[in-house]
Every structure is written in structure tokens, then in C-alpha cells.
Amino acid sequence: DTDTDADTAAATAAAADDEEKDTEPPLVLEPVPPASHSLETSETGPAGGTVTTLTVHLGAPGHPDPIVIQTGKVGRQAAGAVTLTRGDTVLYATAARDSQPKESIDFLPLSVEHQERFSSAGLTSGSYNKRDGRPAEHEILTCRLIDRPLRPLIADGWRHETQLLSWVLSYDGIRSCDPLAITASAAALWISDVPLPKPVAAAMVGYIDGQLVLNPTNEQMERSRLHLTVAGTRDAVLMIEGAADFLPEETMVSAVSFGHEAVKILCAGLEDLGKVVGREKKYDTIVHPPEGLQEAVDRYADDVMEMYKSVPENKDEEEKKTKELRNRVLESLEDDYPEQESAIKGAFKDLLCRKMFELAKSTGKRCDGRKLNEVRRINSEAGILPRVHGSALFTRGETQSIATATLGDSGMKQKIDSIDGGDTKRFYLQYSFPPSCVGETGRTGAPGRREVGHGNLAERALAPILPSEDTFPYSIRVESLITESHGSSSMASVCGGCLALMDAGVPIKSPVAGIAMGMLLGDKGSVSDDNAVIVSDILGTEDALGSMDFKVAGDRQGITTFQLDIKCEGLTVETMSKALQQAKEGRLHILDKMGEALEEPRSTLPDTVPKIGQFQIKEETIGKVIGPGGKQIRAIIEDFGLTNMDVAEDGTIQLSGMNATKLEMAEAFVNDLVSGGGSGGGGGGGGRRSARAEYVGPEPEIGKVYKGKITGIHDFGVFVEILPGAEDGSTPGLEGLCHVSELHAERVRNCPGFVASLNTEELEVKYLGKNKGKLQLSRKAVLQDRGVGGGGKRNYGAGKQNRRDNASSDPPPSKMTEDEVDAIAKAIEEVKGL
């Protein structure tokens, strides 16, 4: 029965998707000029300086705006600075370096920052001081996109502190800025003196109605089954990143090739730009190993091969053997190469890389004894934690993740603030990599950039399998805590996260799994060739010593996400195609192993998951549900024991709570309320709602000033509670209306705005008496008694008052008419009758 229900749900979802696609207009791409680039030089810079402009037409249908890169006008003190314009989108990017290298380090000191300024879209940051602050998650992800294709190309031995900065200065909201940020930063680095051997560029690819689209618009991307970013040089691909809707491997290869064609066009233009304005590359400070050192280290090649052939039992033993051999090398060479420990370690690592390749090429075996396409042992368990909604423990070799899934209402959605405007995410995955998972100590707390990137990758892998919000109205949070790590913890997060979702009873479309592929080369500095060795489910050692980290996730039919990082000069499409096919074999094996723990989602949700009800009301009745100052909605939540109640702008109401019966009663009460009833419904005891309690206490004195709490703000005035109710909450306080005409001595044109400008939750008001049984309050009378606004005991601001008296164009403060009093009295009656 469960299989039948799952099949029916899947068929219904597929039919709904097909119906939605049928209603969408066909994709039409406008014609564009052929691919080309041109250079223009003018003396239009500051003080008549030279400005050089590169204009590139990509020649792709649907992309009419050229990409214009300009240098010489802005940022002239940086080592390299460009502005990049496409349509009304403008980015500014710089490359800068320290004048002296850092001799105490043995790595490339490169940092990347990217900022999407809210002002670029005519917005202001929502932070307290209205200043763009620390980078948001999407900005961190863009920094990683910039860093990954550029870092492996900078010359080995470069030790100058180098910084790439980029800003989005103007944003037209039409297309994503991510590929532009990569291209702009790469262009700034290319024309600087930092030793980058060749230009780098990027492009975005979508797949809509069976057609590949270059740099699609944001609207087109909503329909796309593919979201791919490709970066590379004219010769090869350096980085790919993206998500897909179960696309086959062949389509992925075609998309990468399609995007790389645009990259080639951009790189051709950047090469010519570099010839005109590029600085001479600075190679004189490059740290080279001493002459003869590599040959001296290579004498230990047999020892390395022997170490690789003696398969270690675990990661600790492997690290111990490697460390012992490295120490032997260091001790034997320290006299011949004094103070060259870093260089000796570098030469030893190079030897390890080459011998690992030779072992795999000659024997078909790897350093842990596995075959090239063999996946490590997998153990999976589901439902390991008793109180969480869904949980799983996924172990692959010595990589392990504890994954949990939490279900909640719409209030659990993740809020996002970006230049595209405010948005929310119904599903999000959060990845944690504590230092203890690799047996170390270190910083904990806010996630680092690596954790953000790995979490986003796993999130994109799982997102396509989730049911729609209409059929499953829960917000979903997955957490992955890495407890052991020795290769590809992000893909372990995909597998564990999928099992946790199934354990929570989320009706996913199909299980997905992820695998990380590696590549071993005889020469790490070259482009991949037919001699490259592809390995499945890489170890941390193979990741560190290899030339590729290619992560692929998907189900049995196609790919949902992918990420490629290269440490050589590029990857050919042929090598990538081979890696994808081998990855599919591994993915299917992992899915089989996951199925041994849990074949399909649980048929029911756990008892700890809140129940959710969703229904629609007319937009014009939303005010009745919310009530003055939110009183009504708070009362509904309290009376029916709800966890939350969310009212959307279109009238969609979502109720959540642990008691399904009370959810039904709350829905019935709301429907009765908006239909003109409101006296019925269910309280906490489940019966008819009792009559509203009345104020019990002393009567207010006419003419007395009270300091009361604001309970409701409307265009016609402010409700103020001037006397409190019972301490136990059994009876309400005494509430009256301060009409907009009684708020201030001068005319108030916008009541909510005026009250907001006071920045207070209380008002001092004078009680004027009752009108048709309703309390009338005045703040204006209090101000006038204090001499503010004329007619009082003191005459503050007499000059302003005289000007007001002489200005006939400024009408006097309005008085309440009988009709207004009647309307307000009726409104108060309705509110108090709820």
C-alpha cells in the first residue's frame, strides 16, 4: 500500500509539473551580433590619462548586451583594476599585492572578498546602522567561485600577500552577477604583475525547453533544469559549479562544452587587453627550490612505492608511515640543504604525487589497496536519535556524518536579504566540520567559508528531491555534523541527509547519493590527457596529492549537483566525461547500500512533528484575523494552543500545533470570523468560545492625564490602554481611542508614520470623556497644556505659531465629525466583540 501511495503521489507531482510547463510560453531567444571583441583606447581618464576599453560580444542568442571591461579610469593605484559593465550592471574589481614576499610561509597567501552593495539595486541594508556589513552566505559562495579557478594558476612559489576585491556597484536585476565577478577579478589579476600565466573567464549556462542558454535571465533561470557556472582558460576547464534537475551525464558534458565556448571568446579578448595594458609579470621573487634538491629527494622513490604497497589499516597508520619517511628524508638532507625544510617538504610531496600516479597506472591499485573504481565500505543507520524528527548515521570508510532533519511551519523558513530583495528559503542544509573529526583542536563557532560552501553543495543535491510546498507544507532543515573525515565529507552529508529526510517521513521523489572523484597525473602542472587516472571515492590523501576533486550527486536517473576543482592547468571535456561515467557507477553502488538501511520514506510523520493546516481567506479580511495591534491573532494562538499562525499577503493562512483537532477548530473559528461571525470557535477546553471579558476597575477621571500603552495603530487614530487589567490576565485593561486629529497640535497626515517617528510604545493622553459610550483621548490637549502648539501656559516656538496663523494655505487641525465618531464606535464594537 505504501508503494502504491508513493507511486500515486509521484505521478500526481509529475502531472502537475507537466501541466505547469504546458502553460509556460515557449522560450524565444532574440538574435545577437556574431561573437567578436574589440579594443579602444582614449585619453579620457583623470588628468587626461589613458583609458582602455575591451568590448566582447559573446554571439549567444538571448544575450544582446556586450561585456565591456575598462581599465585606466578607476583604481589606478592598485596592481590591476577594472570595471565590468553588462547592460545596467556594473562591477568594480581590483588586484593588489604586498611589495615584499613572506619568507616564513610555504603556501600561496591569496585572499578574495566580494560585496554586493545594496545601493547597487537602490536598496539599503536592513542592519541597525544601515551599513553593508559582514558578507552574506551568497557573497561567501561567490568568493569561493572567484578563488577556485585562479588559485591553481598562480605560479608556484609566489609568496606576496595578494588580495582580490570586487564590488557590485550597479545591478539591473536581469541576470546573475556571479560569472561577471569571476571574470572581473580574473581580468584585474591578469593585467597586474602577479604571475598568472593566462587569462581566466566564466560563464553561466541554463537548460530550458531542451535548449542550452548562455547567461540566462533570472526569470529564465526559474524555468531552467540546469544552473551551471563554468570557469576556465582558452585551453581547458578549471572549475564548474551547479545544480541540475536529474539531468543525464551526456547533457552535463554538452553544457560544460557550451559554456566553455563563451569562456574562450572572453579569454581571447582578455589576452589582447593584457598585451596593451598588462604589467610585466613579476617572477624575480618567486621562491624556487635549491638546484639538485628534487633529484636528492627522488632517491627515496623506492621507499615511497614500498610504503604505498604496504596497505595501511587506517588513516592514523597511513599518516604515521608518511611522517616517518618524511622525517628520514629531512634528517638525511638537512646538512646538504640547511634551512630548507619547507623546500624539502615540497619536493617530498611532489615525489608522493608522482609515485601515487605510477602505482595506480601500473597496478590498477591505490595507496589503500582499492581498485580505481572501488568505493570504500559503507555502513548506514536511520532513526538513531529518539527525539529528533529524522536522523541517520552514514559512514563510508573513515568519513562519517550524523545527519538530522527537522520539520516546522513557515516561521522556520530561512530569511535572505540580498540585492534581489528579501526572500525566504523553505529548505536549507547546515554543515559543521569540528576540528575533532580529524583528531585536532581548533576554533569553533560561526561556520567558515569551507563549511558554507560544503553545506550549499549538499543542499543543492537534496533540493530537487523534495516535494512541493503545496503537497507538503513543511519547512525543512537538515544538519550534518561531521564526526570523522578522510575524504569527501560533503558527499557523506548528501547521503546522510537523504536518509534523515526519509526517516522523518518526508515524501522525497527518489533517494540521492553523492561521490567524490579524483584524478592522478604524472605532471600536475599540465592539462589532463589520455594518461590521466580517474579514481572513485577519493581519500583525503588522494585529494591532497591528486589533481582533481570532482563531486557529483544524483539519483539513479540523473545528476542533481556537481562541483569541480582542478589543481592542474585544466581539465579536458573528454576526461570530464570519463569521470562522470565512472561517478555514476559509484553513485548507484552507494544508493544500493543506503537502501539496505532504509528503502523508502517512513509512511507517517513522527509524533514530535507539529501538525500543519493551510487554507485561504479573502485578502480584504486579513485585518479581521490579525486584529488591532495583533490582538486577535495572538488570542487565536493562545486559545487553540497553536505553535504558530502565519498569515500571508495573499490570504493564505498556515496553522501549526501538536493537536490536529485544535487545528481544525482554529480553522473553523477563523472562517467563521471572516464570514461575519466571530462569536463561535473553540477555546483551550474545546467548547464554544466564551464571551469577551470586560474591564473591571475604577473609572477614569475626565481631564486627567494618563500614560498608557499603545495597543493599536490605524490611519484614523491610535488605541491606548490607559488603565491596566487584572494582574492574572483574567480581565483586560481599559482602552480608548486617540483620534488622528487629537494626536498633535499640528495636522498629522500619516498616523502610522507619525507614531513610528515618536519611537515609543506609550503615549501621554488626556481623558476627554465618553462619546456614545466610547472613551475619547487626546494627546494634543496634553501638549497644549504644556505650551506646545499655542494656547498653553508657555509659548514655546511663538515665531512658528505666528507663521502658522498667517499662512492661510495651511488648514487648521481637523475636528472629529459625528460620522467619524459613529464609524470609530462601530469599529471598536467589532473589535471588542471578537
Side-chain angles (χ1 to χ4, degrees):
D1 293 340
T2 304
D3 289 341
T4 304
D5 293 342
D7 292 342
T8 302
T12 303
D17 290 343
D18 291 340
E19 182 178 350
E20 183 179 351
K21 290 176 183 177
D22 291 341
T23 61
E24 294 174 346
L27 177 67
V28 177
L29 300 177
E30 56 188 300
V32 297
S36 64
H37 72 268
S38 60
L39 277 174
E40 179 184 348
T41 301
S42 63
E43 308 301 321
T44 56
T50 301
V51 176
T52 305
T53 304
L54 168 67
T55 302
V56 181
H57 290 276
L58 297 177
H63 194 286
D65 296 320
I67 291 178
V68 181
I69 299 174
Q70 188 178 84
T71 186
K73 188 173 185 179
V74 180
R76 294 170 296 157
Q77 296 184 38
V82 302
T83 58
L84 187 152
T85 303
R86 182 187 63 193
D88 288 339
T89 293
V90 181
L91 283 81
Y92 170 54
T94 62
R97 63 164 182 85
D98 282 351
S99 58
Q100 297 298 322
K102 294 181 179 294
E103 298 180 358
S104 59
I105 61 175
D106 59 356
F107 59 89
L108 171 64
L110 173 67
S111 62
V112 179
E113 301 292 340
H114 174 73
Q115 185 182 62
E116 297 179 352
R117 294 163 63 99
F118 282 94
S119 58
S120 67
L123 303 173
T124 298
S125 169
S127 64
Y128 177 77
N129 61 4
K130 305 304 177 189
R131 181 185 180 96
D132 295 19
R134 65 179 184 180
E137 183 173 303
H138 56 277
E139 292 172 315
I140 291 174
L141 295 172
T142 305
C143 289
R144 288 172 58 84
L145 290 178
I146 296 170
D147 184 293
R148 284 160 44 198
L150 293 174
R151 184 178 292 272
L153 281 190
I154 297 176
D156 288 339
W158 178 256
R159 298 294 179 258
H160 293 262
E161 187 80 39
T162 305
Q163 189 174 49
L164 301 179
L165 304 176
S166 60
W167 297 263
V168 179
L169 300 183
S170 176
Y171 178 56
D172 58 17
I174 298 176
R175 289 178 169 86
S176 171
C177 295
D178 289 354
L180 301 185
I182 300 170
T183 303
S185 294
L189 190 65
W190 169 239
I191 64 174
S192 74
D193 59 356
V194 176
L196 185 75
K198 55 184 73 174
V200 174
M204 185 172 284
V205 180
Y207 186 68
I208 308 168
D209 297 343
Q211 183 175 352
L212 294 171
V213 181
L214 182 68
N215 294 331
T217 66
N218 294 336
E219 289 184 2
Q220 291 171 343
M221 193 57 81
E222 292 177 0
R223 300 170 50 189
S224 177
R225 297 186 61 199
L226 172 68
H227 189 296
L228 171 68
T229 301
V230 183
T233 65
R234 291 185 72 174
D235 304 316
V237 175
L238 288 168
M239 184 271 296
I240 63 174
E241 176 94 14
D245 185 18
F246 307 106
L247 290 178
E249 281 73 8
E250 296 77 15
T251 303
M252 295 300 308
V253 174
S254 298
V256 172
S257 299
F258 178 76
H260 190 224
E261 290 302 315
V263 169
K264 291 178 181 178
I265 296 169
L266 283 165
C267 288
L270 288 172
E271 283 184 2
D272 288 347
L273 178 67
K275 292 175 183 177
V276 175
V277 301
R279 299 186 182 185
E280 182 181 354
K281 297 300 181 182
K282 187 174 179 60
Y283 287 99
D284 60 313
T285 59
I286 293 289
V287 179
H288 296 287
E291 187 175 350
L293 175 61
Q294 188 64 60
E295 290 75 10
V297 172
D298 285 352
R299 292 199 296 266
Y300 290 85
D302 292 341
D303 297 276
V304 171
M305 290 298 287
E306 183 179 344
M307 179 186 70
Y308 280 153
K309 290 178 180 178
S310 61
V311 179
E313 293 184 4
N314 52 44
K315 178 182 176 182
D316 289 341
E317 184 182 345
E318 176 193 353
E319 291 179 346
K320 180 181 178 182
K321 288 183 176 181
T322 304
K323 187 176 181 180
E324 287 176 354
L325 181 56
R326 185 182 64 207
N327 289 339
R328 280 174 49 200
V329 174
L330 286 170
E331 290 174 6
S332 66
L333 298 178
E334 63 181 355
D335 292 337
D336 296 333
Y337 300 95
E339 299 182 359
Q340 293 291 332
E341 180 178 339
S342 178
I344 296 172
K345 288 181 178 179
F348 182 69
K349 182 178 179 180
D350 183 80
L351 175 63
L352 292 177
C353 295
R354 287 184 281 114
K355 291 305 170 182
M356 182 177 284
F357 166 77
E358 288 181 20
L359 175 71
K361 192 70 178 175
S362 61
T363 67
K365 296 284 187 178
R366 297 150 69 177
C367 61
D368 63 348
R370 284 184 291 152
K371 298 176 182 178
L372 302 182
N373 63 347
E374 187 177 345
V375 177
R376 288 171 289 174
R377 180 175 177 175
I378 293 174
N379 298 95
S380 302
E381 296 179 57
I384 62 169
L385 301 174
R387 293 295 297 174
V388 301
H389 298 163
S391 61
L393 176 66
F394 180 83
T395 308
R396 185 186 60 240
E398 291 181 274
T399 297
Q400 188 180 74
S401 166
I402 294 177
T404 59
T406 306
L407 309 181
D409 54 36
S410 56
M412 202 180 83
K413 290 182 178 180
Q414 190 179 57
K415 296 177 177 60
I416 301 171
D417 198 12
S418 71
I419 57 177
D420 283 308
D423 198 2
T424 57
K425 281 171 63 174
R426 171 204 177 205
F427 166 64
Y428 47 99
L429 188 148
Q430 294 168 334
Y431 165 101
S432 299
F433 190 91
S436 60
C437 73
V438 289
E440 298 176 356
T441 61
R443 183 189 68 86
T444 60
R449 292 190 174 189
R450 178 182 177 276
E451 291 175 293
V452 171
H454 280 37
N456 179 261
L457 177 66
E459 179 182 305
R460 286 188 278 112
L462 295 172
I465 68 173
L466 298 177
S468 68
E469 192 169 5
D470 292 335
T471 59
F472 191 75
Y474 285 92
S475 298
I476 304 168
R477 178 193 186 196
V478 172
E479 295 172 274
S480 175
L481 174 64
I482 304 304
T483 50
E484 298 178 14
S485 180
H486 191 25
S488 189
S489 57
S490 62
M491 295 298 96
S493 299
V494 174
C495 302
C498 179
L499 290 171
L501 288 171
M502 296 166 68
D503 184 53
V506 178
I508 62 173
K509 298 174 184 176
S510 60
V512 296
I515 187 170
M517 308 298 294
M519 179 176 67
L520 306 178
L521 287 177
D523 180 6
K524 284 188 66 176
S526 64
V527 176
S528 67
D529 51 25
D530 295 338
N531 210 31
V533 175
I534 305 298
V535 292
S536 301
D537 182 27
I538 58 175
L539 296 171
T541 308
E542 292 169 327
D543 185 11
L545 300 178
S547 301
M548 177 183 79
D549 183 7
F550 192 7
K551 301 181 177 75
V552 186
D555 69 352
R556 296 184 182 276
Q557 305 304 319
I559 294 172
T560 57
T561 195
F562 43 87
Q563 184 183 84
L564 170 69
D565 288 317
I566 293 295
K567 299 175 187 175
C568 57
E569 285 202 7
L571 182 72
T572 63
V573 174
E574 292 75 20
T575 306
M576 186 183 65
S577 179
K578 179 182 176 182
L580 280 171
Q581 291 302 325
Q582 191 168 318
K584 183 177 181 180
E585 297 173 9
R587 191 170 77 239
L588 296 178
H589 169 75
I590 297 171
L591 284 169
D592 290 339
K593 291 296 183 180
M594 290 169 57
E596 295 175 4
L598 195 59
E599 289 188 1
E600 58 189 22
R602 309 284 189 198
S603 58
T604 59
L605 298 178
D607 294 336
T608 52
V609 174
K611 312 301 183 287
I612 287 183
Q614 193 163 296
F615 59 99
Q616 196 87 15
I617 63 172
K618 295 180 179 179
E619 293 182 34
E620 58 267 24
T621 62
I622 291 176
K624 284 188 175 182
V625 177
I626 296 176
K631 271 192 170 183
Q632 183 61 69
I633 194 170
R634 289 196 299 269
I636 295 172
I637 292 173
E638 181 180 349
D639 290 348
F640 294 96
L642 304 181
T643 304
N644 191 30
M645 179 175 177
D646 184 71
V647 183
E649 293 180 0
D650 63 352
T652 300
I653 293 181
Q654 187 183 88
L655 309 174
S656 62
M658 303 307 295
N659 189 314
T661 302
K662 288 192 175 183
L663 254 65
E664 295 175 0
M665 295 168 63
E667 180 177 346
F669 173 76
V670 172
N671 285 325
D672 184 43
L673 176 66
V674 300
S675 64
S679 59
R688 300 291 291 179
R689 183 176 176 120
S690 59
R692 182 183 175 89
E694 297 290 338
Y695 166 74
V696 177
E699 289 295 314
E701 300 177 22
I702 295 177
K704 185 175 180 179
V705 175
Y706 294 89
K707 188 172 185 178
K709 181 175 67 175
I710 298 173
T711 58
I713 304 172
H714 304 273
D715 291 338
F716 56 78
V718 181
F719 286 99
V720 182
E721 182 184 281
I722 61 173
L723 291 173
E727 291 184 1
D728 60 2
S730 59
T731 59
L734 185 63
E735 192 177 84
L737 174 70
C738 181
H739 188 260
V740 63
S741 63
E742 296 294 331
L743 269 179
H744 196 61
E746 299 181 4
R747 184 179 182 182
V748 175
R749 301 177 186 273
N750 182 343
C751 181
F754 175 78
V755 176
S757 70
L758 297 176
N759 194 27
T760 181
E761 296 180 357
E762 296 180 322
L763 288 181
E764 282 191 291
V765 293
K766 178 183 283 190
Y767 175 49
L768 303 180
K770 292 184 178 181
N771 189 328
K772 296 187 178 181
K774 307 303 174 187
L775 278 66
Q776 304 298 304
L777 310 175
S778 175
R779 179 175 177 269
K780 179 173 70 174
V782 175
L783 297 175
Q784 289 176 340
D785 289 346
R786 295 175 180 174
V788 179
K793 298 175 183 178
R794 286 188 267 181
N795 193 15
Y796 295 123
K800 294 181 181 179
Q801 181 66 41
N802 292 335
R803 286 195 295 272
R804 284 199 306 273
D805 293 341
N806 295 332
S808 58
S809 61
D810 193 3
S814 59
K815 299 294 183 181
M816 249 191 296
T817 65
E818 288 297 319
D819 291 339
E820 285 180 312
V821 172
D822 291 341
I824 294 166
K826 183 178 179 181
I828 296 174
E829 285 290 350
E830 290 179 354
V831 170
K832 291 195 172 182
L834 296 179

